[in-house]
Amino acid sequence: MSPVHVAPRRPWSAGRVLATVTSSVLLLLGVGMVVGGGALRLADSTLRNDDGFVMGSTHRWQSPGYAVRSESAEIHTDSTTFDLPERFLGTMTATADPTTPNGVFLGVARTADVDRYLTDVAHSTVLDPFDGDGGPTLTFVDGGSPAVAPTEAEFWVSSASGLGPQAITWEPEDGEWTLVVMNGEGTTPVSAAVSVGAEVPVLDTVGAVLLVAGLVLVGGSGIGLWLAVRQR
């Protein structure tokens, strides 16, 4: 029997190696885009409430004083290009469900106005919404009572009060903003389950774009990788 002759494999050329590596990288990138786009689409469909807002986790805001406030949230926009917060966040919302029989007041205002209102007032500040136990980290400042009840103050951009769950909405604008939770009559203690959310109108669009682009990239790079590897 004559020996079987096996043709020696030719070494890969530099172009073949480069094509394989490039296709592999693009394939991984495409898979990442598909996963990211799918996650955004899933978040858009599952995290929105009945009013169309993407809501964050609910946490207990409480204080032995007269108020609980968030830290200042600073928003910057560049009117010469586009309004980033409005386009990205859309309308914002906050909800508060009182856990005391005193009802709840929920309001958002410019930080400077909140600072003046709560000067020398006993209140707590949310330093970290997520501490090790899953609840917010708060710090307490002792003091007296507010000069007027929160429902009588006129600086709130948006506010609501009552015995049951309350919700407010507002449009994000330039400046520093603070969310405040109190009792309607400005009494103590304060305790409510609070959640903040936004419309995030671009969430579904970005997810769809990533998903489609990722699928196209996976298909194209997969074909390129197959062609590069199967070359004789």
Side-chain angles (χ1 to χ4, degrees):
M1 179 183 295
S2 59
V4 177
H5 177 71
V6 179
R9 290 181 176 273
R10 291 182 299 174
W12 284 27
S13 65
R16 185 180 180 186
V17 172
L18 180 60
T20 302
V21 172
T22 301
S23 297
S24 300
V25 172
L26 292 177
L27 179 61
L28 290 175
L29 178 61
V31 170
M33 293 173 66
V34 170
V35 172
L40 289 177
R41 294 297 301 274
L42 179 63
D44 183 75
S45 62
T46 59
L47 296 182
R48 291 190 185 277
N49 62 14
D50 294 338
D51 296 320
F53 292 101
V54 178
M55 302 301 297
S57 301
T58 300
H59 295 286
R60 179 73 60 83
W61 286 25
Q62 54 190 353
S63 174
Y66 295 89
V68 184
R69 57 174 290 173
S70 68
E71 287 196 293
S72 175
E74 190 169 0
I75 294 178
H76 290 292
T77 62
D78 183 358
S79 59
T80 61
T81 54
F82 57 89
D83 188 350
L84 178 61
E86 182 177 355
R87 289 172 181 256
F88 182 76
L89 295 175
T91 301
M92 297 193 66
T93 186
T95 63
D97 189 0
T99 55
T100 70
N102 298 323
V104 68
F105 170 88
L106 178 65
V108 64
R110 293 193 177 274
T111 299
D113 293 327
V114 174
D115 288 343
R116 282 190 292 269
Y117 179 66
L118 294 180
T119 297
D120 298 326
V121 172
H123 68 278
S124 298
T125 301
V126 179
L127 299 180
D128 183 0
F130 312 99
D131 68 7
D133 297 325
T137 299
L138 301 101
T139 182
F140 177 69
V141 175
D142 203 358
S145 60
V148 297
T151 52
E152 297 177 8
E154 298 181 351
F155 57 82
W156 306 107
V157 171
S158 181
S159 64
S161 64
L163 295 177
Q166 302 297 314
I168 60 173
T169 59
W170 71 96
E171 304 299 328
E173 298 178 357
D174 275 337
E176 297 182 359
W177 301 91
T178 297
L179 185 68
V180 178
V181 174
M182 302 178 68
N183 295 332
E185 300 302 321
T187 57
T188 62
V190 177
S191 181
V194 178
S195 179
V196 179
E199 285 181 322
V200 198
V202 301
L203 189 62
D204 182 63
T205 301
V206 173
V209 170
L210 283 176
L211 191 59
V212 172
L215 289 173
V216 172
L217 192 57
V218 166
S221 58
I223 292 174
L225 182 62
W226 179 73
L227 291 175
V229 172
R230 73 181 293 271
Q231 290 180 12
R232 299 290 184 181

